Amino acid sequence: MEYLLIFISAIFVNNIVLSQFLGICPFLGVSKKIDTALGMGTAVAFVLTLATIVTYLVQIYVLNPFGLEYLQTLAFILVIAALVQMVEIIIKKVSPSLYQALGIFLPLITTNCAVLGVAILVIQKEFSLLQSVVYAFSTALGFALALIVFAGLREQLSLVNIPKGMQGMAVVLVTAGLLSLAFMGFSGVDGGLKILFGLQ
């Protein structure tokens, strides 16, 4: 039940984009089309999960034993950058169209604060390796869900006659704010689940 709670909480209650405001750059930049958003969500899910596993192992078996905890951020950034380069090479070979669609935002996964944020959060929350993997994958699903829903809303907005003063980034930011408010409706769900399953 603990893993189910982590899963639901990471996707809906503490959504990495809409509640914790991490990963805003790709959220606003790659959300014009659903297929591009889906591709970005998949790439981030893979990188986020893999990066969390590797950074967790680096923290536990390298940084902690040698008293190098102060190098955490630097070490994590290097690991994430290497993983993103690997994903970029794989996507370029497997799906050139997706590689073209993602454009500059694929290398930006390296600087996506959601990836680094999750890697640091699992250490701060003192999760086990399995809990860290569940949390990372759930967070990635939450990121992809927010991205795809937002892309769908933006596609619908492109078919609507928007007042001149609200066109462009103005309506995008208002829509993002409304989506964030909608996800706030899930706050308290994790507390209710804790009580329901007797974890509190």
Side-chain angles (χ1 to χ4, degrees):
M1 288 302 140
E2 188 181 349
Y3 295 106
L4 179 65
L5 189 64
I6 291 170
F7 185 78
I8 291 170
S9 179
I11 294 175
F12 299 107
V13 182
N14 297 315
N15 187 285
I16 198 78
V17 181
L18 301 172
S19 296
Q20 299 183 47
F21 307 110
L22 295 173
I24 298 292
C25 179
F27 178 69
L28 294 175
V30 194
S31 57
K32 290 177 184 171
K33 293 183 179 177
I34 291 177
D35 55 343
T36 312
L38 188 60
M40 184 65 169
T42 306
V44 168
F46 178 72
V47 171
L48 192 59
T49 307
L50 195 58
T52 302
I53 294 168
V54 176
T55 54
Y56 182 88
L57 295 174
V58 166
Q59 180 75 35
I60 299 301
Y61 296 108
V62 178
L63 300 181
N64 289 353
F66 295 105
L68 300 172
E69 292 90 349
Y70 61 91
L71 292 174
Q72 182 189 64
T73 305
L74 181 64
F76 285 12
I77 288 171
L78 290 172
V79 168
I80 292 164
L83 288 172
V84 169
Q85 287 298 313
M86 185 180 75
V87 170
E88 191 174 353
I89 291 166
I90 291 168
I91 289 177
K92 194 173 184 179
K93 294 229 181 213
V94 174
S95 178
S97 59
L98 178 59
Y99 180 79
Q100 288 292 333
L102 292 174
I104 188 68
F105 293 99
L106 188 58
L108 280 178
I109 296 176
T110 309
T111 56
N112 185 347
C113 52
V115 179
L116 180 61
V118 170
I120 292 172
L121 278 171
V122 296
I123 303 299
Q124 288 178 346
K125 291 175 186 267
E126 297 179 354
F127 282 158
S128 66
L129 181 59
L130 186 57
Q131 287 174 324
S132 299
V133 171
V134 170
Y135 180 74
F137 184 69
S138 306
T139 302
L141 286 180
F143 179 84
L145 175 69
L147 200 61
I148 291 163
V149 169
F150 192 53
L153 290 170
R154 285 185 73 175
E155 281 189 3
Q156 290 297 314
L157 282 171
S158 66
L159 305 173
V160 178
N161 189 14
I162 298 167
K164 194 172 182 181
M166 284 295 290
Q167 288 177 1
M169 194 49 72
V171 74
V172 170
L173 292 173
V174 168
T175 307
L178 291 172
L179 186 60
S180 182
L181 282 171
F183 267 73
M184 281 179 67
F186 292 112
S187 61
V189 170
D190 58 340
L193 287 173
K194 280 180 184 174
I195 293 167
L196 183 67
F197 295 122
L199 296 171
Q200 195 171 16

